[in-house]
Amino acid sequence: MVHAQFDPTAREALAAKAVEAKTVKNLSWRQIADASGLSVAFTTAAVLGQHPLPEESAKAVAELLGLDDDAAMLLQTIPVRGSMPNRIPTDPTMYRFYEMLQVYGTTLKALVHEEFGDGIISAINFRLDVKKVADPEGGERAVITLDGKYLPTKPF
């Protein structure tokens, strides 16, 4: 049976335990994702409390992290989503994403609507990828791909 959370605190506590176990066991998110059989982005989001994992994935992740059966069950519940409880994040990395949306949000909206029309980009039918690439000018660059299905607004 599918269960949903109505209070984020249980998944937040589990996320803290999972991250502690990840650290103690010196595991990467890639290793945890490999155990789950799902993508790194989805698995990481799930372990951090933003998605439910399928039963087999939840059991595999819990076993790898040394978490109990209750944790495996909780990993399968539909969470209360939203990883930034405050409106403006204070963590520098998260703040930069917020800053990007503050600067480019209206541009993204204008370009999406010009290209597709009135509608939204789904965060449900969605893929996320993060890659590190060499910068031709020296150093490294982060390439972040947000790939969501376009859903047009339908008059009713």
Side-chain angles (χ1 to χ4, degrees), residues 19-59:
V19 169
E20 180 181 4
K22 173 190 177 292
T23 302
V24 168
K25 292 176 174 281
N26 196 30
L27 295 169
S28 68
W29 288 115
R30 166 62 62 201
Q31 290 170 303
I32 296 169
D34 288 346
S36 78
L38 301 168
S39 75
V40 172
F42 188 88
T43 302
T44 303
V47 172
L48 295 178
Q50 298 303 305
H51 293 304
L53 285 174
E55 181 178 0
E56 291 307 312
S57 297
K59 288 178 179 179

Side-chain angles (χ1 to χ4, degrees), residues 47-121:
V47 172
L48 295 178
Q50 298 303 305
H51 293 304
L53 285 174
E55 181 178 0
E56 291 307 312
S57 297
K59 288 178 179 179
V61 167
E63 182 178 339
L64 179 65
L65 294 174
L67 302 173
D68 62 21
D69 290 343
D70 288 343
M73 183 184 67
L74 191 55
L75 283 169
Q76 298 172 61
T77 63
I78 300 168
V80 176
R81 291 179 171 96
S83 61
M84 292 188 284
N86 302 319
R87 293 194 177 238
I88 300 175
T90 56
D91 176 83
T93 302
M94 292 171 67
Y95 178 79
R96 292 300 172 246
F97 285 103
Y98 174 79
E99 179 182 44
M100 287 176 216
L101 282 175
Q102 287 287 59
V103 173
Y104 293 103
T106 53
T107 300
L108 290 167
K109 176 181 171 45
L111 294 173
V112 164
H113 290 306
E114 184 174 283
E115 185 70 26
F116 294 96
D118 187 16
I120 63 166
I121 309 265

Side-chain angles (χ1 to χ4, degrees), residues 5-19:
Q5 296 291 302
F6 68 93
D7 180 351
T9 56
R11 287 298 294 269
E12 289 168 355
L14 177 57
K17 283 176 59 177
V19 169

